[in-house]
Amino acid sequence: MRSLILAGVAGVLALGLVGTASAESSTTLRYFEKQTQFTYTPAGGRPTHTPPNGPVKPGDRIELAGDLYAGDHKHHSGKPVGSDHTICVFDAQAKPHCDAQAAIGGSMLFITSQGGDGDFTSKITGGTGRFLGARGTVLTHPIKDNADITVRLR
């Protein structure tokens, strides 16, 4: 169950970008996200750091944070290049609606997603600093509680 939930939100987590991208260029970057924090709050309930015992329900909320490493799960930098934070709320059909921010070197990216089971794509909706006006997509490939991420900026 935990991997299904994390697959639904991991893509909005991991956007550790270290390069500069402009609206006129197209850039592909790859990162590995290691989860550092997990909080599950059932609708009307108290937060816990363990996943739900069964399927998520409408109104449930998941909050995650992670460290971002340049590379992938097999070969990545030894130190994080950034961090991220995601909050997902589950709708009436128990589908996640997620918003995330990734902080890199004083700049941020904003991402939105509805997650998925297995690989899925999220949308970059903007940013600050060197990512001001950023657009593009993020392909997430979940690996247990972590993820390999391919970021495509345009």
Side-chain angles (χ1 to χ4, degrees), residues 40-47 57-61 89:
Y40 167 69
T41 307
R46 293 181 178 226
K57 296 179 179 62
D60 287 1
R61 172 185 156 122
V89 177

Side-chain angles (χ1 to χ4, degrees), residues 124-141:
I124 298 169
T125 60
T128 67
R130 68 179 177 233
F131 303 120
L132 186 64
R135 296 288 184 260
T137 59
V138 178
L139 174 64
T140 298
H141 176 71

Side-chain angles (χ1 to χ4, degrees), residues 12-101:
V12 296
L13 295 178
L15 292 174
L17 303 177
V18 294
T20 302
S22 68
E24 296 81 36
S25 67
S26 176
T27 304
T28 299
L29 304 165
R30 288 176 174 74
Y31 295 90
F32 177 57
E33 189 265 341
K34 289 185 181 181
Q35 181 181 307
T36 59
Q37 185 264 329
F38 174 91
T39 303
Y40 167 69
T41 307
R46 293 181 178 226
T48 179
H49 297 290
T50 58
N53 293 327
V56 294
K57 296 179 179 62
D60 287 1
R61 172 185 156 122
I62 291 177
E63 183 173 0
L64 298 145
D67 287 333
L68 306 170
Y69 297 80
D72 62 24
H73 73 284
K74 292 182 182 177
H75 303 284
H76 55 272
S77 59
K79 293 184 180 182
V81 297
S83 62
D84 54 29
H85 176 252
T86 301
I87 296 176
C88 296
V89 177
F90 293 83
D91 68 14
Q93 290 75 42
K95 292 184 179 183
H97 294 270
C98 308
D99 290 303
Q101 308 80 38

Side-chain angles (χ1 to χ4, degrees), residues 68 113 121:
L68 306 170
S113 178
T121 301

